[in-house]
Amino acid sequence: MSVEDLTRADIERILDRAQSFAEVSGRAIKKVPALRGRTVLNLFYEASTRTSSSFELAAKRLSADFVSVRAQGSAVDKGESLKDTVRTLSAYDPALVVIRSPWAGAAELVARWAPAAVVNAGDGKREHPTQALLDLYTLWQRVGALDGLKVWIVGDVLHSRVARSNVLAFRRMGCEVTVAGPPTLVPREIESLGCRVRASLDELAEADVVYALRMQRERMEGAFVPSLREYAARYQIDGRRLSPQQVLMHPGPVNRGVELSAEVIDSPQALIAQQVEAGVVVRMAVLYELLASGGQQEPAAGLGLQAPVPAVVEVAGQSA
Ligand code: NCD
């Protein structure tokens, strides 16, 4: 439901398991029988490319049967119809439901109505926990230990469920988190999650990791910035603002030329493609954790998460 549900040990166990699934993804036949005969159901009430496709691949690579249902938000009369839909689909006896919805708390409701396990794949502006997990995985694979890393999350924090989940997740792993953006798009309450707030990018040079957010125009009713041009002038991550030792992340989809310039999107510092790739193995690990681990919650077995903090983020391995 939320990153808040996860301890650091839980996160490390999931990331370790994701790493073991990366080996499966490298095989010609990318399948293991772990979830044979189980049904995974995607129930998406909001647009999605990466999240829905990676949950589908993850379920299929674990040999589960997979059903996908997409509903168009505006046409659906929420409360009752979500309940009815869930009740109807429960007739297929799914072992797990992946739900994305524009309503905060929808995943908890589904969990109340369906006997299946439930994964929150984004609930309105609130949380997107598997995105946070795949981001931690991607960063861990690139730089090693996460403790003490300085992470700057930049942009439309107000409308971003990724921002909330990621502040929580990066903090859990010992990172120092700063969120930055126009004051109209950065709620001060976010500080209660354990991060600092900045209204400018003046100190961005201190960051090891720059995590840019998409301008969520579909969630904006009024004007939160004077214009996208002005936003870009003050907050766009471009070749001048990103220094060579920093790594760049973005959950996708990117508004090219708004939050990121084309040159940084295509630079070797960008981990955007690696984040998408990580989505499959991390979601395999989440499905496995919920359906196949049999409650076995052994601690992570020394795969580098406890390793000492690198003094600088290494970008030497950029070809990786
Ligand atoms: C994010 C989402 O939908 O919350 N995208 C994603 O899952 N990769 C972020 C976004 O839409 O900006």
Side-chain angles (χ1 to χ4, degrees):
M1 299 297 155
S2 161
V3 172
E4 270 171 295
D5 304 332
L6 300 169
T7 64
R8 181 173 176 147
D10 292 330
I11 293 173
E12 292 182 349
R13 184 179 63 252
I14 292 167
L15 301 198
D16 273 350
R17 196 163 272 139
Q19 179 163 270
S20 67
F21 285 133
E23 185 267 319
V24 176
S25 295
R27 296 184 200 160
I29 296 171
K30 307 182 193 322
K31 246 187 175 20
V32 289
L35 299 187
R36 199 157 49 196
R38 319 287 292 275
T39 300
V40 172
L41 186 110
N42 263 10
L43 181 54
F44 277 58
Y45 284 78
E46 265 192 355
S48 173
T49 304
R50 286 149 268 262
T51 307
S52 59
S53 59
S54 59
F55 268 110
E56 176 166 359
L57 271 177
K60 288 179 171 170
R61 288 184 182 175
L62 293 170
S63 305
D65 292 326
F66 177 80
V67 186
S68 173
V69 176
R70 291 212 179 228
Q72 281 319 316
S74 60
V76 176
D77 166 27
K78 33 179 167 174
E80 274 311 49
S81 15
L82 177 61
K83 189 172 187 174
D84 282 348
T85 309
V86 168
R87 290 242 164 107
T88 304
L89 295 170
S90 293
Y92 301 141
D93 191 22
L96 187 139
V97 177
V98 180
I99 167 109
R100 164 166 291 189
S101 134
W103 312 302
E108 278 89 350
L109 288 177
V110 174
R112 206 182 299 159
W113 297 326
V118 176
V119 176
N120 178 8
D123 60 338
K125 297 188 278 186
R126 205 179 62 123
E127 278 227 43
H128 191 358
T130 59
Q131 178 70 42
L133 290 171
L134 74 88
D135 290 330
L136 292 178
Y137 179 85
T138 306
L139 196 56
W140 170 47
Q141 293 292 309
R142 177 61 164 255
V143 309
L146 305 180
D147 264 303
L149 279 183
K150 291 190 168 63
V151 180
W152 275 57
I153 299 179
V154 179
D156 180 2
V157 176
L158 180 66
H159 299 103
S160 175
R161 52 196 174 208
V162 174
R164 285 185 51 78
S165 288
N166 279 32
V167 170
L168 290 167
F170 285 128
R171 292 288 301 130
R172 206 55 120 227
M173 301 310 288
C175 302
E176 287 175 31
V177 183
T178 302
V179 303
T184 46
L185 289 176
V186 180
R188 298 293 310 194
E189 313 88 79
I190 193 100
E191 279 173 328
S192 67
L193 302 182
C195 58
R196 294 188 314 179
V197 170
R198 291 290 180 270
S200 81
L201 301 186
D202 295 349
E203 301 159 65
L204 188 70
E206 67 162 42
D208 300 306
V209 180
V210 178
Y211 193 107
L213 298 168
R214 182 174 66 86
M215 281 292 263
Q216 310 251 323
R217 280 175 279 179
E218 77 280 20
R219 297 193 205 281
M220 296 183 191
E221 268 152 25
F224 284 82
V225 289
S227 72
L228 286 180
R229 262 188 74 190
E230 216 158 303
Y231 173 83
R234 295 205 57 194
Y235 299 99
Q236 183 185 84
I237 307 300
D238 60 13
R240 280 177 309 127
R241 294 202 168 111
L242 192 71
S243 64
Q245 77 281 5
Q246 295 174 322
V247 295
L248 174 67
M249 303 179 80
H250 189 295
V254 176
N255 293 309
R256 259 178 202 260
V258 181
E259 64 266 5
L260 297 180
S261 71
E263 59 186 333
V264 299
I265 298 172
D266 302 321
S267 76
Q269 287 159 264
L271 301 184
I272 301 170
Q274 288 88 330
Q275 289 171 268
V276 176
E277 197 182 334
V280 178
V281 292
V282 168
R283 288 171 174 133
M284 285 172 83
V286 169
L287 298 182
Y288 188 95
E289 168 93 7
L290 290 168
L291 297 180
S293 67
Q296 246 186 314
Q297 306 221 323
E298 73 284 357
L303 279 163
L305 280 168
Q306 335 280 2
V309 192
V312 210
V313 176
E314 279 178 43
V315 279
Q318 276 178 352
S319 57

